[in-house]
Amino acid sequence: MIGLAMACQALAAGAALTTGLALAGDTATAAAGAGSGHSVSAGAETALDAAIGERLFRRAWVPGQSSTKAADGLGPLFNARSCLACHEGLGRVAARHPDALDRGLAVRLGDADGRADPALGRQIQLAAVAGVEPEPRPRIEWVDTRADGSAGRPDSLRPRLVWPDGGARAGSIRAAPALAGLGRLAALTDAAILGFAEEQSRAGQGVAGRPHRTADGRLGRFGWKATAPTMADQVADAFSIDMGLSTRRHPEPWGDCTASETACRLAPHGSKASEGGVEMDDAIVARLAAYLISVTVPPAPADGRGAALFAATGCAACHRADLPSPDAPALTDLLLHDMGPGLDDGVGDGAARPRDWRTAPLIGLGAAEARGLLHDGRARSIAEAVAWHGGEGAGARARFRALPPADRDRLIAFLRSL
């Protein structure tokens, strides 16, 4: 407890993190995915690392060249000043709330091959430091539609972006996900993930997920399209694209600003970046990752009948319930699946095509339902989310619809208990 108190005092005083936290031993940098391995070491989950990471999660960062040197570097363009701003309570953002774009709903930009928008970058940034103009704020219209694309009465919603200049940019709404239980994903080995892909391919049942290989050959795990191999990679990407904070993985001090956004490129950056370093060093990234990996959720209550229906409909082919994990199944295979034209968002990401999505973990599904499900929050219920399962998910959708009403209700109750 003495070490924890001293570390927190160092944070509050604005001391350099790498120095102020050395008293406990630098256990986190090599863990929480900072290296090339995918497992999380015991050291990364020490109480000290997680406690410091939680403080970092709540910290509000300030613009470059501010008097608070230990917390400067925000922007020049950004969407949030802290992790907490988009992940309040570690829960999922309420996607259809009027101010959702200010509370964790983001607009990704790019084309089907994953190239960023040449003028605006990978993501719209709605806030900026003094002297820099924010990027254009779109309006989100929620349009009644039929989830499976067939004729008939609308049964769901689809978002449509309306730009202030009347333009027609390719954009995809992405909701900030819930963050509890991520240690379950980190615990899955590469061999297990590759094994799921081989198993699905051999089965020949229309489900054939594929691992997302990043540019350096690693397997992706985190993010809507499995673009981040480790939690540290995910943290670094969020620092860059959401807050404009540079890291060793994303050393550009201007974050997502493009070459045409000259005022952003020329704006002051954090004190460390101005001295040739990065604004968020490896220790910050690793300890924040260690905190997120350490947040657990209690296992769902046992429900044999619900679990049997889950398997019988084919849901468990991708939302795997038989995976090794620290506490309970993650209910994902971490593979990319072609989910059909209904979920084609027009934006590629790495090796993921516009209609490819990583199997979403179902941790906390019941709590997330009221806030909107799927990547953009369009589904207002679990049944609506299932209705959007086309492509490789079409068979499970058909079997779900064919269930007797009592069994369908029992399966939904099981999913809400997760």
Side-chain angles (χ1 to χ4, degrees):
M1 292 303 293
I2 295 174
L4 176 58
M6 290 177 66
C8 292
Q9 288 170 7
L11 281 173
L17 283 170
T18 7
T19 301
L21 303 179
L23 57 98
D26 193 0
T27 59
T29 301
S36 59
H38 298 301
S39 63
V40 179
S41 73
E45 294 184 348
T46 62
L48 179 59
D49 290 326
I52 295 167
E54 183 178 10
R55 292 288 296 266
L56 292 167
F57 184 84
R58 298 175 178 278
R59 167 167 279 193
W61 306 95
V62 297
Q65 305 304 306
S66 298
S67 58
T68 309
K69 299 300 183 184
D72 77 335
L74 181 72
L77 292 174
F78 59 95
N79 277 324
R81 293 177 178 273
S82 69
C83 304
L84 185 64
C86 294
H87 298 281
E88 186 175 358
L90 298 177
R92 183 183 173 95
V93 63
R96 297 184 306 280
H97 194 278
D99 64 352
L101 283 174
D102 298 310
R103 302 178 60 162
L105 202 66
V107 179
R108 285 294 179 98
L109 302 174
D111 63 16
D113 294 321
R115 290 183 292 261
D117 185 286
L120 299 172
R122 295 172 56 212
Q123 181 171 292
I124 286 292
Q125 318 290 337
L126 298 176
V129 301
V132 178
E133 286 292 322
E135 293 175 331
R137 175 185 290 265
R139 186 175 79 256
I140 301 174
E141 293 184 350
W142 293 96
V143 182
D144 291 327
T145 192
R146 182 86 180 168
D148 62 6
S150 64
R153 182 175 58 85
D155 60 359
S156 191
L157 300 173
R158 179 190 294 274
R160 181 169 63 196
L161 292 170
V162 180
W163 298 93
D165 61 1
R169 299 178 185 88
S172 174
I173 295 173
R174 305 283 175 89
L179 298 180
L182 296 179
R184 300 179 187 178
L185 310 188
L188 298 180
T189 65
D190 283 6
I193 297 169
L194 294 172
F196 305 149
E198 292 173 5
E199 178 184 323
Q200 291 173 7
S201 179
R202 288 195 306 269
Q205 300 296 315
V207 175
R210 59 190 178 90
H212 190 164
R213 289 277 184 188
T214 58
D216 60 4
R218 293 181 297 160
L219 287 188
R221 271 174 175 67
F222 299 97
W224 286 109
K225 290 180 179 274
T227 50
T230 68
M231 180 51 61
D233 291 308
Q234 183 75 0
V235 167
D237 193 56
F239 269 145
S240 176
I241 200 169
D242 295 326
M243 289 184 269
L245 294 163
S246 60
T247 64
R248 182 173 54 83
R249 289 169 172 82
H250 296 282
E252 306 83 7
W254 48 76
D256 192 40
C257 300
T258 66
S260 64
E261 294 175 305
T262 53
C264 176
R265 291 282 184 107
L266 296 173
H269 305 301
S271 55
K272 292 181 182 178
S274 299
E275 297 165 2
V278 294
E279 291 152 334
M280 301 290 109
D281 63 25
D282 282 356
I284 293 176
V285 172
R287 288 186 170 94
L288 184 51
Y291 163 61
L292 294 171
I293 291 296
S294 75
V295 178
T296 61
V297 290
D303 180 356
R305 177 58 179 162
L309 289 167
F310 186 74
T313 56
C315 302
C318 303
H319 296 282
R320 306 282 300 225
D322 58 345
L323 307 181
S325 70
D327 45 18
L331 297 173
T332 177
D333 56 12
L334 293 182
L335 298 173
L336 293 175
H337 293 273
D338 181 341
M339 297 304 292
L343 292 179
D344 186 330
D345 68 348
V347 179
D349 205 343
R353 299 163 300 196
R355 50 199 276 172
D356 291 341
W357 298 94
R358 181 204 63 175
T359 302
L362 301 184
I363 303 166
L365 186 64
E369 184 178 21
R371 294 173 171 262
L373 301 176
L374 301 178
H375 65 280
D376 53 14
R378 68 176 67 183
R380 296 165 293 188
S381 67
I382 290 172
E384 274 191 34
V386 174
W388 281 103
H389 280 53
E392 295 177 43
R397 176 178 66 190
R399 288 185 286 272
F400 174 82
R401 287 175 168 174
L403 288 173
D407 284 348
R408 195 180 313 127
D409 291 345
R410 181 65 178 267
L411 176 54
I412 289 173
F414 166 75
L415 293 169
R416 285 178 176 151
S417 74
L418 298 174

